Amino acid sequence: MKHYDVIIIGGGAAGFFAAINCVEQNPNLNICILEKNKEGLQKVKISGGGRCNVTHAEFIPQELVHNYPRGEKELLGPFHQFMTGDTIEWFDKRGVALKIEEDGRMFPVTDSSQTIIDCFLNEAQKLQIDVLYSQNVQDIEILEAQEVFQIKTKDTNFQCEKLLVATGSSVKFWKLISQLGHTIVQPVPSLFTFNINDKRIKNIPGVVAQDVEVNILKTDLSSQGPLLITHWGMSAPAILKLSAYGAVELAKMDYKFQIEINFIKQDFESCLDHLKAIKHDFGKKLVYKLPQFELPKRLWQQLVLASGMTQDTRWADVNKQELDSLTEQLTQAVFDVNGKSTFKDEFVTAGGIDLKEVNFKTFESKRVPNLYFAGEVLNIDAITGGFNFQNAWTGAFIAAKTIAKKSPL
Ligand SMILES: Cc1cc2nc3c(=O)[nH]c(=O)nc-3n(C[C@H](O)[C@H](O)[C@H](O)COP(=O)(O)OP(=O)(O)OC[C@H]3O[C@@H](n4cnc5c(N)ncnc54)[C@H](O)[C@@H]3O)c2cc1C
């Protein structure tokens, strides 16, 4: 039997961040991380396409919370304790400089997730945190008389006074936690791309429309932003945001639904007026070769063909029906979505520990004293952009601070 003051289950982003902060704030604490794999931080490694999108340059808590389809209300208080600026400072103090990209995403200046991993591993070693690998936790028991948790892996028993669970999106572990009296909100994937098999986009993968509006028909779900045509369908923030906000609803629809895209974010009438003016002014030119509304040329061409015109149609020859049809393609194009694909740069699970059962001032369980949660194990997830890690850093920091304070110095 091995005894620790604090045990952290899960050697991922939240687990390492919590362990380091805990010992820094209370060096007397004897802490270990139990990680089931041979190495920890595997998601950090592959995150952000190998660059690790550590956080997002949003410095107002009230604004930052808007990026969390689940957790928006609960994270407001925690972000007043620890958020973006604190994350930047935390890494900076440990020699890791972060940079901001045009869209607000923040990465290490090295553009390598290994920088973050090295930082955590070095800090853990310096602070003498026991990181025990190949320790798959299979059982947790609360020994009430001794006020300890008993944790079992395949061949070792551990005991601790304070337990932090940072196991990410593990269905097996959620079952264990439910046995401790917690409710688990059914997990479903979030942050995925839409599969669309449609002639209009079949041959133009890689094309980006900079700012579109997308609505999912028969729902209230809509979003705006860049849209990328892929080999299988559509991706980029306009789609990924819908996949996050609609995670539960779209799962119920078995990922079969229709979307309506306004490629130019103008209403039907103003678009039609613009096209009529072009027809009047440029009658001799080919429609196919004269893209409008700053749309990518190849996308414009596909929409022109879909409107019943050919490559040789001149503006002067466009009839009313074709003008209406092109306007419809530009402002109300309907596509059938049939299934989803993984967005390789970032994906998360919606669902997890019911937020009503957690005290967000401390990240302690309301059901089991001295039990804490941080990261994706909670029913919190965000849109793409570094917000998911920010949730891990914030929860881990606050849980660590609480544990450090509550334990004798
Ligand atoms: C491909 C990909 C790219 C991503 N990129 C980004 C990004 O750039 N920016 C961003 O903000 N978010 C990103 N995310 C999301 C982000 O990685 C997660 O939100 C974050 O890792 C959650 O941290 P966590 O510590 O809660 O969980 P994890 O990082 O998943 O860590 C959980 C750990 O617990 C361990 N564990 C599980 N069960 C047990 C058990 N029974 N016993 C012992 N150990 C156990 C696991 O092995 C794992 O190491 C990405 C996700 C993916 C999949």
Side-chain angles (χ1 to χ4, degrees):
M1 171 78 67
K2 289 191 178 174
H3 184 273
Y4 287 91
D5 301 318
V6 183
I7 288 183
I8 293 171
I9 308 180
F16 268 89
F17 202 73
I20 294 163
N21 282 295
C22 213
V23 185
E24 277 185 347
Q25 293 182 42
N26 188 341
N28 287 335
L29 285 176
N30 183 13
I31 294 194
C32 96
I33 298 177
L34 299 179
E35 166 56 47
K36 75 171 178 192
N37 291 321
K38 285 192 194 123
E39 282 176 43
L41 300 164
Q42 290 190 354
K43 272 201 194 168
V44 172
K45 175 106 188 154
I46 56 169
S47 66
R51 297 199 299 142
C52 187
N53 180 190
V54 178
T55 186
H56 198 97
E58 171 56 73
F59 299 91
I60 303 164
Q62 285 81 352
E63 293 298 324
L64 187 60
V65 290
H66 290 325
N67 298 289
Y68 295 83
R70 286 147 292 270
E72 175 168 358
K73 181 165 66 84
E74 291 77 7
L75 283 174
L76 186 58
F79 282 155
H80 278 97
Q81 286 199 56
F82 191 93
M83 63 174 283
T84 320
D86 307 292
T87 305
I88 299 168
E89 199 184 321
W90 194 96
F91 281 104
D92 193 54
K93 270 192 185 156
R94 288 156 187 86
V96 178
L98 303 180
K99 59 169 177 175
I100 307 177
E101 302 215 324
E102 244 176 54
D103 57 5
R105 291 180 303 158
M106 298 197 69
F107 294 87
V109 289
T110 57
D111 272 331
S112 167
S113 57
Q114 194 59 43
T115 308
I116 305 297
I117 296 177
D118 291 345
C119 168
F120 285 161
L121 294 180
N122 289 340
E123 292 295 318
Q125 195 180 23
K126 215 162 63 190
L127 297 166
Q128 297 179 329
I129 295 164
D130 277 354
V131 187
L132 308 180
Y133 295 105
S134 303
Q135 295 291 338
N136 187 356
V137 173
Q138 295 170 342
D139 190 35
I140 303 172
E141 228 181 292
I142 304 165
L143 305 182
E144 276 172 22
Q146 293 112 298
E147 294 186 341
V148 292
F149 295 94
Q150 178 150 292
I151 293 142
K152 288 184 189 159
T153 63
K154 192 165 164 247
D155 38 30
T156 316
N157 280 355
F158 298 85
Q159 278 192 351
C160 64
E161 276 77 34
K162 300 204 167 48
L163 179 62
L164 170 64
V165 173
T167 43
S169 51
S170 159
V171 173
K172 264 195 191 163
F173 213 87
W174 276 319
K175 267 193 195 136
L176 259 186
I177 298 166
S178 71
Q179 285 160 18
L180 296 178
H182 273 284
T183 313
I184 306 299
V185 177
Q186 185 66 21
V188 289
S190 181
L191 293 182
F192 46 82
T193 65
F194 294 173
N195 292 355
I196 299 168
N197 186 357
D198 189 291
K199 210 173 154 196
R200 286 167 289 180
I201 58 166
K202 213 178 185 84
N203 296 316
I204 56 167
V207 165
V208 177
Q210 283 307 337
D211 194 14
V212 307
E213 189 181 313
V214 188
N215 295 302
I216 299 187
L217 297 179
K218 296 186 187 155
T219 73
D220 296 333
L221 297 162
S222 73
S223 76
Q224 301 188 2
L227 178 131
L228 167 72
I229 312 290
T230 69
H231 286 284
W232 298 274
M234 292 181 185
S235 180
I239 298 297
L240 295 164
K241 275 190 250 173
L242 286 174
S243 78
Y245 280 95
V248 176
E249 212 167 333
L250 301 183
K252 281 187 195 146
M253 294 162 122
D254 199 21
Y255 307 104
K256 290 187 183 75
F257 49 90
Q258 285 189 313
I259 54 173
E260 184 186 88
I261 304 181
N262 187 333
F263 284 108
I264 57 172
K265 286 175 72 178
Q266 284 193 21
D267 63 34
F268 188 93
E269 288 309 325
S270 60
C271 174
L272 187 61
D273 287 348
H274 177 92
L275 295 181
K276 278 181 184 165
I278 300 295
K279 177 177 157 68
H280 180 265
D281 296 346
F282 298 95
K284 284 190 182 152
K285 300 237 177 214
L286 295 173
V287 182
Y288 191 77
K289 293 215 167 137
L290 198 64
Q292 296 300 307
F293 306 104
E294 293 177 16
L295 265 194
K297 196 167 144 205
R298 290 199 293 157
L299 176 59
W300 167 263
Q301 292 174 342
Q302 291 307 314
L303 298 181
V304 169
L305 297 179
S307 309
M309 292 175 250
T310 69
Q311 294 192 17
D312 304 321
T313 308
R314 292 187 189 280
W315 279 102
D317 301 328
V318 179
N319 62 34
K320 183 181 178 313
Q321 195 191 343
E322 287 162 345
L323 260 192
D324 281 351
S325 177
L326 181 56
T327 307
E328 207 173 288
Q329 288 296 334
L330 289 163
T331 61
Q332 306 164 0
V334 174
F335 291 85
D336 290 328
V337 177
N338 194 351
K340 61 175 175 53
S341 293
T342 306
F343 172 56
K344 296 213 170 51
D345 272 4
E346 180 172 356
F347 53 88
V348 280
T349 304
I353 295 167
D354 194 331
L355 304 185
K356 289 196 286 296
E357 299 169 0
V358 177
N359 175 352
F360 280 92
K361 289 198 173 98
T362 57
F363 282 74
E364 187 174 5
S365 158
K366 287 182 184 169
R367 294 270 157 99
V368 183
N370 296 317
L371 174 64
Y372 297 80
F373 302 110
E376 215 177 302
V377 71
L378 291 162
N379 181 23
I380 295 179
D381 62 273
I383 61 170
T384 182
F387 307 104
N388 282 300
F389 277 138
Q390 186 55 56
N391 166 51
W393 315 138
T394 295
F397 183 86
I398 295 171
K401 188 172 124 189
T402 315
I403 293 171
K405 258 196 195 160
K406 270 173 87 178
S407 310
L409 275 167

